[in-house]
Amino acid sequence: MTYRRAAIPALIGGLILAALLWSAGASTHALHLPGTGGTLGSGTAAELERWLAPWAYDPPTAFRLGAETSGGVGDTATSDGARYRALYGTGLQIRFGALFVLFALGALLLVRRLPPVRGRATAAFLAVWAWGVVAGALAVTVSAPWLIAAAGHGSHRFLPQLAGAASSGRQIVMITSLLAAAATVFTARIAVKDTEPPARAAVPARAARLAATAGTAVVALSLVVLSYDRVAALLQTAFVGSGLLSEPGDLLRQWLLLGGWTGPAGAPAGEWLLYRAVDALALVVVWCALRWLPGLLTRATVPATAAVTVCAIVLGLLVSQLVEIATSPASPYGSFVYKAAGLGHGVPAALTWGLLAGTTAAVVLRVTARNGERGPARP
């Protein structure tokens, strides 16, 4: 599929995703209408507002108060408050602009290397959906410095604030990305309707298995080794800095840890193994995706393999988190919205390790396939 054919679906998907998130952010006012708390429940309404707040164009109350008190008294307070509100608006413009550009670029690569023809449509839809979640996390992170400064305390614990911002707003992005991915894939199917479907590449099974195992091992380094509580605590406290770069531990954990686990510590062994099985499920999803990936891609280049690996890790995390929600005991707070608050955790780390794992898998696949073509050395 050419870039020209893939560009239109990617742009349409980016516009739909940005428009849906804009509308979702504008609907935060509805959560404050009389009777909303009684209909949804006060806890559910508060949780939904937390989901939508990162995409709301009107500054939250905390931002408005910070702007009002930062300028002193009189005209100075008024002018500084206007500057802070303008800074908040600039941050939101950067957020939505980055969202559109990042989603469109990723979808362009995915649709071109994974065209949604028969046998590939489901894989393309899942990949574009997962990439929408990644694009949302990246857009929030890129625009976070402006919004942190707009709150009036940008110099206080900047890196921990940046780490917290990177994980916000992900739940609503998962919902809107479903619709954006569906529109992208539907439009791409129309674009390739009159073209000949590309044949599946003939990839040696041994090379594909070795590449999938190597890539999964890289992911397991984060999910199993670095996510162990003692290693994570060491990572949290090992690096120090000063000024704006002080306390980088939260940011490092956000971008390096795909999960978090500890030993049984007196808990029933069966329950502990059940939670560890959820982590194993994520690795199984990643391995299967990497195993099938060389045959699905029209060309297994390093950028395409890395991008799809990022999407595979996101999907593996979402599957494991959904299973964990389904098997966890009932929450005292009751609503599914509260239980779903943890969905999407680990997306920034999925980008880091997906790029590393995808690059590793592509290199191993290329080297192993090349050696297999040469055959055994003759004496």
Side-chain angles (χ1 to χ4, degrees):
M1 189 175 186
T2 62
Y3 279 114
R4 182 179 298 178
R5 287 180 178 270
I8 295 177
L11 293 174
I12 290 176
L15 287 173
I16 290 176
L17 180 59
L20 288 174
L21 285 173
W22 183 288
S23 301
S27 65
T28 52
H29 295 293
L31 297 174
H32 298 281
L33 294 176
T36 303
T39 303
L40 299 177
S42 57
T44 300
E47 187 66 25
L48 286 175
E49 184 177 5
R50 192 172 69 86
W51 290 12
L52 299 175
W55 306 100
Y57 216 86
D58 291 333
T61 304
F63 282 79
R64 292 195 294 267
L65 291 177
E68 290 172 0
T69 58
S70 61
V73 293
D75 295 337
T76 305
T78 303
S79 61
D80 280 2
R83 292 193 191 101
Y84 277 88
R85 287 190 293 272
L87 189 59
Y88 183 89
T90 301
L92 262 294
Q93 293 172 5
I94 294 172
R95 177 164 297 182
F96 281 98
L99 175 73
F100 170 75
V101 172
L102 291 169
F103 179 87
L105 290 177
L108 176 65
L109 177 62
L110 292 172
V111 171
R112 184 170 185 265
R113 293 301 180 193
L114 197 61
V117 294
R118 180 176 298 180
R120 292 185 172 100
T122 301
F125 169 73
L126 293 175
V128 175
W129 174 39
W131 180 255
V133 179
V134 175
L138 283 175
V140 170
T141 304
V142 168
S143 59
W146 282 266
L147 301 184
I148 292 173
H153 44 77
S155 62
H156 175 66
R157 292 173 55 84
F158 175 75
L159 292 183
Q161 290 186 78
L162 186 61
S167 62
S168 62
R170 61 184 185 270
Q171 297 90 351
I172 193 63
V173 177
M174 285 189 293
I175 299 173
T176 54
S177 292
L178 278 172
L179 299 176
T184 302
V185 171
F186 178 76
T187 310
R189 288 206 64 160
I190 295 176
V192 299
K193 185 176 181 180
D194 298 330
T195 61
E196 188 69 22
R200 288 178 176 267
V203 181
R206 178 175 176 272
R209 286 195 297 266
L210 286 176
T213 303
T216 307
V218 174
V219 179
L221 176 63
S222 171
L223 192 59
V224 178
V225 179
L226 296 183
S227 296
Y228 181 55
D229 62 341
R230 295 184 181 180
V231 180
L234 181 63
L235 183 68
Q236 178 85 31
T237 57
F239 301 94
V240 295
S242 59
L244 288 176
L245 300 180
S246 62
E247 303 179 74
D250 291 336
L251 191 63
L252 289 173
R253 292 187 63 170
Q254 188 73 39
W255 288 87
L256 293 179
L257 302 189
L258 287 167
W261 65 280
T262 184
E271 181 179 345
W272 183 83
L273 289 174
L274 179 62
Y275 281 104
R276 300 291 68 75
V278 171
D279 295 335
L281 178 61
L283 293 177
V284 169
V285 172
V286 172
W287 189 91
C288 292
L290 290 176
R291 171 62 182 85
W292 299 329
L293 186 58
L296 292 175
L297 293 174
T298 57
R299 185 182 176 190
T301 61
V302 172
T305 305
V308 180
T309 303
V310 172
C311 300
I313 296 176
V314 173
L315 291 174
L317 291 175
L318 292 178
V319 169
S320 64
Q321 290 162 4
L322 286 172
V323 172
E324 185 175 355
I325 289 174
T327 56
S328 62
S331 170
Y333 297 94
S335 67
F336 174 79
V337 173
Y338 181 83
K339 293 180 67 174
L343 282 176
H345 175 74
V347 171
L351 178 64
T352 302
W353 294 101
L355 295 176
L356 293 175
T359 303
T360 302
V363 171
V364 171
L365 178 66
R366 186 169 301 179
V367 172
T368 308
R370 186 179 302 169
N371 291 339
E373 291 176 357
R374 293 176 180 175
R378 296 181 178 179

